[in-house]
């Protein structure tokens, strides 16, 4: 690798005569592969067994609530500092989007579909509006949906979103930069929004804008869950669950996670993010 850098990067001489491009690329690639193998080996050798797993914020909620109640002016306590306390401003809070859910129509249950969408994916949103996101109401279920967006520094793109909202009124948007690696913020925003603006929902589906969801099958599944005694108060998360997922330790993996970020052999079981 060093040779390659000296010859290819050297000025004055003609690099091509010293280092054929293929050779250079090959050496660079070999170097990268070695580096990534070492990182991977390190990642797998030095991780902690999952049996030692402690979620950083496993809190005594009784104690937390009591302490907060005893000092009404305090908004937090020193021993329970949130990991993510992001309060990005809302660009389109759309807090009336669920108003019809509040009316509560007899024995109907309410399903809210929150669709994480990338800012430029207008065509995807149109396709979903014309197909599965289209609100349906049957004798047993009332369905609502909203597209969840982040923000942008590009004012042309933001103006397009504002126009889309005027036409369709089905967007919710918060001011973090809309980017793949901000998906966590997007999900946190979606959950916060559902809790604050749509407390009447009995079930919430989180889905991505490049998915097809069979609302028919979904409604069937929810019917079965209800028949088995699940209610809005049940603690149920369902989806395609990865039961013992291994963190990616390869530097070049899209989902690479360092030991400093997360030191354990496995992730806790979780449903894949695209629909749950
Ligand atoms: C801003 O957004 C518009 C519309 O989406 C796009 O055509 C343009 O290339 C973007 N500008 C920059 C600097 O990214
Ligand atoms: C995520 O959003 C934050 C807040 O807007 C921004 O500073 C950061 O650059 C974004 N991340 C990516 C990967 O764009």
């Amino acid at each position: 690798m060093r040779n390659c850098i000296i010859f290819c990067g050297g000025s004055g001489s003609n690099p091509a005569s010293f280092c054929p491009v293929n050779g250079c690329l090959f050496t660079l690639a070999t170097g990268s592969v070695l580096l990534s193998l070492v990182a991977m080996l390190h990642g797998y050798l030095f991780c902690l067994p999952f049996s030692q797993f402690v979620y950083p914020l496993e809190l005594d909620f009784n104690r937390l609530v009591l302490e907060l109640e005893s000092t009404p002016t305090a908004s937090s306590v020193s021993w329970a500092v949130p990991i993510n306390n992001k309060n990005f401003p809302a660009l389109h809070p759309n807090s009336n989007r669920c108003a019809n859910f509040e009316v509560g129509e007899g024995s109907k249950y309410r399903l809210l579909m929150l669709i994480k969408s990338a800012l430029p994916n207008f065509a995807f949103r149109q396709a979903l509006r014309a197909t599965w996101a289209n609100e349906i109401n049957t004798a047993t279920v009332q369905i609502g949906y909203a597209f969840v967006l982040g923000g942008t520094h590009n004012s042309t793109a933001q103006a397009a979103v504002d126009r889309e909202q005027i036409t369709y009124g089905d967007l919710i948007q918060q001011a973090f930069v809309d980017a793949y690696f901000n998906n966590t913020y997007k999900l946190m925003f979606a959950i916060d929004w559902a809790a604050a603006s749509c407390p009447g929902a009995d079930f919430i589906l989180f889905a991505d804008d490049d998915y097809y969801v069979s609302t028919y099958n979904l409604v069937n599944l929810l019917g079965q869950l209800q028949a088995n005694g699940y209610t809005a108060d049940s603690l149920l998360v369902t989806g395609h669950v990865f039961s013992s997922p291994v963190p990616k330790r390869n530097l070049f993996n899209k989902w690479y996670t360092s030991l400093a970020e997360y030191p354990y052999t496995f992730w806790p079981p979780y449903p894949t993010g695209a629909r749950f």
Side-chain angles (χ1 to χ4, degrees):
M1 195 168 173
R2 180 180 298 147
N3 281 349
C4 181
I5 287 168
I6 289 170
F7 283 115
C8 292
S11 55
S13 54
N14 174 4
S17 63
F18 288 98
C19 180
V21 170
N22 283 344
C24 180
L25 284 182
F26 176 78
T27 324
L28 273 179
T30 316
S32 312
V33 167
L34 278 178
L35 187 67
S36 109
L37 278 179
V38 169
M40 243 164 99
L41 209 63
H42 176 261
Y44 290 123
L45 283 180
F46 295 98
C47 54
L48 299 176
F50 190 64
S51 55
Q52 292 181 17
F53 177 83
V54 217
Y55 188 69
L57 262 195
E58 200 167 297
L59 297 176
D60 181 343
F61 265 81
N62 286 332
R63 189 181 149 207
L64 180 62
V65 170
L66 286 176
E67 230 168 275
L68 285 175
E69 277 180 352
S70 67
T71 41
T73 48
S75 60
S76 63
V77 294
S78 60
W79 52 271
V81 180
I83 305 175
N84 276 302
N85 198 14
K86 299 291 182 192
N87 284 313
F88 298 110
L91 298 174
H92 286 292
N94 212 346
S95 29
N96 286 327
R97 177 77 184 147
C98 267
N100 57 338
F101 272 12
E102 302 317 310
V103 179
E105 293 187 34
S107 60
K108 275 192 186 185
Y109 67 88
R110 291 155 290 249
L111 165 66
L112 169 67
M113 306 195 292
L114 288 178
I115 306 160
K116 288 173 283 159
S117 185
L119 214 58
N121 287 357
F122 174 70
F124 285 32
R125 292 192 285 278
Q126 283 299 73
L128 267 52
R129 284 179 183 119
T131 57
W132 65 264
N134 205 354
E135 291 164 316
I136 59 162
N137 289 295
T138 70
T140 53
V141 61
Q142 197 188 355
I143 303 186
Y145 77 94
F147 290 108
V148 190
L149 304 178
T152 173
H153 297 306
N154 179 333
S155 53
T156 316
Q158 184 58 44
V161 168
D162 298 343
R163 283 195 303 274
E164 184 178 342
Q165 179 73 328
I166 289 169
T167 310
Y168 300 100
D170 57 4
L171 307 176
I172 64 174
Q173 190 188 26
Q174 212 180 37
F176 56 85
V177 170
D178 193 295
Y180 182 78
F181 284 102
N182 274 345
N183 240 332
T184 319
Y185 291 155
K186 196 170 274 187
L187 184 59
M188 285 162 57
F189 168 43
I191 293 172
D192 281 350
W193 185 86
S197 303
C198 206
D202 298 295
F203 294 98
I204 304 172
L205 170 78
F206 297 98
D208 284 359
D209 65 359
D210 54 355
Y211 268 68
Y212 171 73
V213 173
S214 164
T215 15
Y216 177 81
N217 285 350
L218 182 61
V219 165
N220 257 347
L221 171 76
L222 296 181
Q224 285 168 29
L225 289 175
Q226 287 204 311
N228 284 305
Y230 283 101
T231 67
D233 297 328
S234 309
L235 288 176
L236 171 78
V237 180
T238 187
H240 178 77
V241 175
F242 294 131
S243 43
S244 21
V246 178
K248 307 286 188 228
R249 303 299 187 190
N250 176 349
L251 281 177
F252 298 99
N253 192 288
K254 185 177 181 186
W255 297 291
Y256 167 73
T257 311
S258 71
L259 286 180
E261 258 180 300
Y262 185 85
Y264 305 104
T265 40
F266 297 107
W267 296 110
Y270 66 89
T272 169
R275 69 280 187 216
F276 64 96

